[in-house]
Amino acid sequence: MNLRDIHIGSFVKAKAEELEIPVARIMNFLNCTEAEIQEMYGQESMDTKKLLRWSKLLHFDFFRIYTGHLILYSPPLKTDRSIKIESSTLEFRKSVYTEEVKSFILNKILSKQMTTTEVLTKYKIPKTTLYKWIKKV
């Protein structure tokens, strides 16, 4: 799975084909025509409301693809330790690494494209987390 260049329509199409969902069921669930479905398959990006409906229909969290992209390719946050951000509305889970991200990182290490030190530096993954992943392989 290529997490650098995301073409969400192709991911949706692949999952629908994998699950062999009939077009009639998709049309009924999304309340659209077959031509509109084919158009969505060709879209590089998609409205979040539509993507949420696809996620429900196909029982797959397509938003995790974008999360994986953010983890791997967004620049590290530069924080000033003297500034304390308090938010009562946002809380993040400890484990935000999807299986796709884990396999991507492990593939880089096992194929010797990157060393563990390079991975730790580039992707800012905690050392203990990375070594736990490697130990499970």
Side-chain angles (χ1 to χ4, degrees):
M1 179 181 294
N2 181 4
L3 294 177
R4 181 177 288 275
D5 301 313
I6 299 170
H7 189 289
I8 199 65
S10 63
F11 287 121
V12 169
K13 181 179 181 179
K15 191 66 176 177
E17 288 174 351
E18 176 187 323
L19 297 174
E20 299 176 351
I21 306 287
V23 176
R25 181 168 178 228
I26 296 171
M27 290 169 43
N28 186 36
F29 190 85
L30 298 177
N31 195 21
C32 62
T33 65
E34 187 172 354
E36 290 171 324
I37 293 170
Q38 292 302 321
E39 183 181 325
M40 283 187 253
Y41 289 160
Q43 293 177 341
E44 187 174 342
S45 62
M46 196 176 294
D47 178 61
T48 54
K49 199 170 190 178
K50 285 181 189 174
L51 192 58
L52 181 62
R53 297 286 293 167
W54 277 109
S55 294
K56 289 178 180 180
L57 175 66
L58 301 176
H59 303 286
F60 184 83
D61 185 0
F62 290 102
F63 295 97
R64 284 191 154 238
I65 296 170
Y66 292 105
T67 303
H69 175 89
L70 288 173
I71 290 168
L72 293 173
Y73 300 109
S74 65
L77 178 65
K78 295 184 186 215
T79 58
D80 183 0
R81 297 208 183 251
S82 64
I83 299 172
K84 193 171 188 177
I85 300 172
E86 293 185 23
S87 175
S88 60
T89 58
L90 295 177
E91 287 191 28
F92 296 98
R93 295 179 302 148
K94 184 177 179 182
S95 177
V96 294
Y97 303 104
T98 63
E99 289 303 315
E100 291 85 3
V101 170
K102 290 178 189 177
S103 63
F104 175 83
I105 298 290
L106 289 173
N107 186 30
K108 291 281 189 187
I109 294 170
L110 296 175
S111 66
K112 302 201 186 297
Q113 292 176 352
M114 294 178 83
T115 65
T116 54
T117 308
E118 291 171 331
V119 168
L120 293 171
T121 305
K122 183 172 182 178
Y123 299 118
K124 306 291 187 217
I125 296 173
K127 187 186 251 184
T128 55
T129 302
L130 182 61
Y131 285 111
K132 283 180 186 177
W133 295 349
I134 294 170
K135 186 178 176 183
K136 288 181 181 180
V137 173

